[in-house]
Amino acid sequence: MPEQPQTLTPLAQLGEFGLIRRLAQSARAQQPGTRTAIGDDAAVLQPTPGLQQVISTDLLLEGIHFDLTFCPLRHLGYKAVAVNVSDVAAMNARPTQLVMGLAAGARFSVEALEELYAGIRLACDAYGVDLVGGDTTTSPGGHLLLSVTVLGEAAPEAIVRRSGGQPTDLLCVSGDLGAAYLGLQVLNREKAVFLDDPEAQPELENYAYVVQRQLRPEARMDVIHELAELGVVPTAMIDVSDGLASEVLHLCRESGVGARVYQDRLPLAEETLEVAEEFKLDPTTCALNGGEDYELLFTVPLALHDKVRNHPDITVIGHLVPPDQGAYLVLPSGTQVELQAQGWTAF
Ligand code: ADP
Ligand code: MG
């Protein structure tokens, strides 16, 4: 826990401009294309000649996407950047700049928002992204709202869409699945205990892995760089934010194909299996229909099997099939279960 300052500064004491100065003092730009960052009416960017730009945006709303009862602001700042960078990674592009919209109410102190920005800056440093601007306003209901837009770039021939998958391509996923969903179950349980008895100390030591997967996910830029080193350009790619089933179905729909996913191939961490057992949840369901893993799901031609097979952080979980064969999970018994999209945020 960071040490709490003796007195907290109310937002009103600094005013909008003072707050922006405190929060957004910009570090030196890391990207050569960043010509003017925070402080002017608009940022000025120089795209790298020959590369195409990608842009993606995400809204994170308190009460919908995060719960400040158990989400430290520093982690939230990091996650807000990481989930955006994950979308750039899923295009096989490199992130370059970031714009941050922020609405907060009077219940937040200047110091609390500085914590948020410490996390934002940490993630910007980790991914080599420049924070080049944003907007700050008050939130009448008091809820915290973050609106994050990230820019990135890639050579036109390197950009990977959801639509490029071909029947017989191998279906691959990075890292492991289902842990973030179980982390959320642990945090929700501890929250209920805390609301019952505010003196209770949260018991999270045994759940470090799954809780960290929920609170502080990483964008898999490392996998993007490694694929490039291997000379592998996926045919299609998507990041796993809503659970594997939903992402496989997106990829199939956009590529006009079907898929077979083998249950016994799903990458599940030991911790995920243990926590799932404790919560009496099926780990396969956590992987398929949980969410927020932020791993990469991608397809490669069969001919590249050897290049991905031996990678310690990539698992071949199945393959694509012609569209009339549908998208199914294949159980070890051979039984096939149709994949259903559950989605993460219920509307
Ligand atoms: P404007 O009146 O043109 O909206 P602002 O006073 O809101 O300008 O912003 C001043 C500068 O600070 C701009 O460069 C803007 O991009 C940047 N900025 C404002 N809010 C934030 C924020 N929350 N995070 C990062 N940069 C910000
Ligand atoms: Mg403004």
Side-chain angles (χ1 to χ4, degrees):
M1 288 290 282
E3 223 166 89
Q4 289 294 318
Q6 293 299 309
T7 48
L8 297 175
T9 318
L11 288 184
Q13 191 171 315
L14 276 190
E16 182 190 332
F17 299 132
L19 178 69
I20 294 172
R21 262 197 303 280
R22 276 278 279 275
L23 294 181
Q25 328 136 328
S26 46
R28 256 163 53 98
Q30 306 185 53
Q31 293 287 338
T34 302
R35 296 298 162 86
T36 301
I38 291 171
D40 219 308
D41 297 304
V44 181
L45 311 178
Q46 175 70 56
T48 307
L51 301 189
Q52 288 183 338
Q53 289 196 297
V54 300
I55 180 166
S56 178
T57 198
D58 260 315
L59 280 176
L60 289 103
L61 186 55
E62 184 182 355
I64 306 284
H65 302 99
F66 57 89
D67 182 338
L68 290 177
T69 325
F70 52 62
C71 183
L73 282 161
R74 189 181 283 241
H75 285 44
L76 176 65
Y78 194 98
K79 181 170 178 174
V81 175
V83 302
N84 266 265
V85 170
S86 179
D87 282 323
V88 171
M91 300 303 291
N92 201 30
R94 316 287 159 106
T96 50
Q97 288 93 9
L98 190 101
V99 177
M100 178 70 61
L102 169 69
R107 68 182 238 266
F108 292 92
S109 63
V110 171
E111 289 77 9
L113 296 183
E114 280 182 326
E115 274 293 296
L116 177 76
Y117 265 71
I120 291 170
R121 262 194 294 272
L122 207 60
C124 284
D125 286 348
Y127 299 116
V129 181
D130 295 337
L131 178 62
V132 296
D135 199 27
T136 308
T137 187
T138 183
S139 154
H143 288 111
L144 184 63
L145 170 99
L146 302 176
S147 166
V148 192
T149 302
V150 66
L151 284 145
E153 48 184 32
E157 63 278 11
I159 290 182
V160 178
R161 295 172 173 81
R162 297 177 178 183
S163 54
Q166 301 291 327
T168 79
D169 278 356
L170 296 170
L171 196 53
C172 308
V173 72
S174 65
D176 59 78
L177 300 172
Y181 177 75
L182 287 162
L184 187 61
Q185 306 314 306
V186 170
L187 290 164
N188 276 325
R189 182 178 69 182
E190 293 306 316
K191 178 183 172 182
V193 170
F194 174 80
L195 291 177
D196 239 25
D197 172 14
E199 299 290 303
Q201 288 297 312
E203 284 178 29
L204 296 176
E205 302 87 67
N206 297 333
Y207 306 101
Y209 181 69
V210 297
V211 165
Q212 172 235 317
R213 292 282 287 168
Q214 166 60 221
L215 291 181
R216 231 203 80 159
E218 291 285 359
R220 296 309 305 263
M221 282 310 302
D222 56 333
V223 172
I224 294 304
H225 292 300
E226 286 162 16
L227 287 175
E229 275 164 31
L230 288 171
V232 173
V233 179
T235 46
M237 185 151 57
I238 183 169
D239 67 331
V240 183
S241 52
D242 294 334
L244 181 69
S246 145
E247 315 305 359
V248 169
L249 290 171
H250 281 309
L251 198 147
C252 285
R253 191 177 317 114
E254 295 305 317
S255 293
V257 294
R260 292 294 175 274
V261 175
Y262 295 89
Q263 186 191 25
D264 55 7
R265 294 285 192 85
L266 294 178
L268 302 165
E270 196 55 47
E271 294 89 337
T272 301
L273 297 174
E274 285 166 13
V275 180
E277 191 179 345
E278 182 184 337
F279 278 78
K280 301 198 170 20
L281 290 167
D282 174 14
T284 298
T285 309
C286 296
L288 290 177
N289 297 326
E292 301 198 286
D293 291 314
Y294 296 105
E295 294 296 341
L296 294 169
L297 174 73
F298 59 94
T299 52
V300 298
L302 253 178
L304 294 181
H305 191 196
D306 280 343
K307 291 206 175 192
V308 289
R309 185 174 54 186
N310 295 320
H311 192 290
D313 220 14
I314 294 173
T315 310
V316 179
I317 58 167
H319 55 89
L320 301 183
V321 295
D324 53 316
Q325 294 180 25
Y328 286 84
L329 179 74
V330 184
L331 307 185
S333 62
T335 305
Q336 304 205 12
V337 184
E338 191 165 14
L339 289 174
Q340 308 273 351
Q342 200 104 5
W344 182 233
T345 317
F347 275 99

